[in-house]
Short mmCIF file of all heavy atoms in Angstrom, two decimals:
data_model
loop_
_atom_site.label_atom_id
_atom_site.label_comp_id
_atom_site.label_asym_id
_atom_site.label_seq_id
_atom_site.Cartn_x
_atom_site.Cartn_y
_atom_site.Cartn_z
N VAL A 153 2.51 -2.04 -8.95
CA VAL A 153 3.61 -1.71 -9.85
C VAL A 153 3.21 -0.54 -10.74
O VAL A 153 3.96 0.42 -10.91
CB VAL A 153 4.05 -2.94 -10.69
CG1 VAL A 153 4.95 -2.53 -11.85
CG2 VAL A 153 4.73 -3.97 -9.81
N ALA A 154 2.00 -0.58 -11.31
CA ALA A 154 1.53 0.51 -12.18
C ALA A 154 1.42 1.82 -11.41
O ALA A 154 1.81 2.88 -11.92
CB ALA A 154 0.18 0.14 -12.80
N VAL A 155 0.92 1.77 -10.18
CA VAL A 155 0.81 2.98 -9.36
C VAL A 155 2.21 3.53 -9.06
O VAL A 155 2.44 4.74 -9.13
CB VAL A 155 0.01 2.71 -8.07
CG1 VAL A 155 0.13 3.87 -7.09
CG2 VAL A 155 -1.45 2.44 -8.40
N PHE A 156 3.14 2.65 -8.74
CA PHE A 156 4.50 3.12 -8.47
C PHE A 156 5.12 3.75 -9.72
O PHE A 156 5.77 4.79 -9.64
CB PHE A 156 5.42 2.02 -7.93
CG PHE A 156 6.79 2.55 -7.67
CD1 PHE A 156 7.06 3.24 -6.51
CD2 PHE A 156 7.80 2.45 -8.62
CE1 PHE A 156 8.30 3.81 -6.28
CE2 PHE A 156 9.04 3.00 -8.41
CZ PHE A 156 9.29 3.69 -7.23
N LEU A 157 4.95 3.12 -10.89
CA LEU A 157 5.48 3.70 -12.12
C LEU A 157 4.89 5.09 -12.37
O LEU A 157 5.61 5.99 -12.80
CB LEU A 157 5.19 2.78 -13.32
CG LEU A 157 6.00 1.50 -13.40
CD1 LEU A 157 5.54 0.67 -14.60
CD2 LEU A 157 7.49 1.77 -13.47
N LEU A 158 3.62 5.26 -12.10
CA LEU A 158 2.99 6.57 -12.24
C LEU A 158 3.67 7.57 -11.30
O LEU A 158 4.09 8.65 -11.73
CB LEU A 158 1.49 6.47 -11.94
CG LEU A 158 0.71 7.78 -11.92
CD1 LEU A 158 0.75 8.46 -13.29
CD2 LEU A 158 -0.73 7.50 -11.48
N HIS A 159 3.78 7.21 -10.04
CA HIS A 159 4.43 8.08 -9.05
C HIS A 159 5.84 8.46 -9.48
O HIS A 159 6.23 9.63 -9.48
CB HIS A 159 4.46 7.36 -7.69
CG HIS A 159 5.58 7.77 -6.79
ND1 HIS A 159 5.54 8.92 -6.05
CD2 HIS A 159 6.78 7.20 -6.55
CE1 HIS A 159 6.68 9.04 -5.37
NE2 HIS A 159 7.44 8.00 -5.66
N HIS A 160 6.63 7.48 -9.86
CA HIS A 160 8.04 7.71 -10.16
C HIS A 160 8.22 8.51 -11.46
O HIS A 160 9.05 9.42 -11.53
CB HIS A 160 8.78 6.37 -10.23
CG HIS A 160 10.26 6.49 -10.11
ND1 HIS A 160 10.89 6.96 -8.99
CD2 HIS A 160 11.24 6.20 -11.00
CE1 HIS A 160 12.19 6.96 -9.18
NE2 HIS A 160 12.43 6.51 -10.40
N THR A 161 7.45 8.18 -12.48
CA THR A 161 7.56 8.88 -13.76
C THR A 161 7.17 10.34 -13.61
O THR A 161 7.87 11.24 -14.09
CB THR A 161 6.69 8.19 -14.83
OG1 THR A 161 7.10 6.83 -14.95
CG2 THR A 161 6.80 8.88 -16.17
N VAL A 162 6.06 10.61 -12.94
CA VAL A 162 5.62 11.99 -12.73
C VAL A 162 6.68 12.76 -11.94
O VAL A 162 7.01 13.90 -12.27
CB VAL A 162 4.25 12.04 -12.02
CG1 VAL A 162 3.93 13.44 -11.53
CG2 VAL A 162 3.15 11.54 -12.95
N GLY A 163 7.24 12.13 -10.92
CA GLY A 163 8.28 12.78 -10.12
C GLY A 163 9.52 13.10 -10.92
O GLY A 163 10.06 14.21 -10.83
N LEU A 164 9.99 12.15 -11.73
CA LEU A 164 11.19 12.39 -12.54
C LEU A 164 10.95 13.47 -13.59
O LEU A 164 11.80 14.34 -13.81
CB LEU A 164 11.65 11.10 -13.22
CG LEU A 164 12.27 10.03 -12.34
CD1 LEU A 164 12.56 8.77 -13.14
CD2 LEU A 164 13.53 10.53 -11.67
#
Side-chain angles (χ1 to χ4, degrees):
V153 167
V155 169
F156 180 81
L157 288 177
L158 175 62
H159 153 79
H160 198 64
T161 302
V162 168
L164 288 175

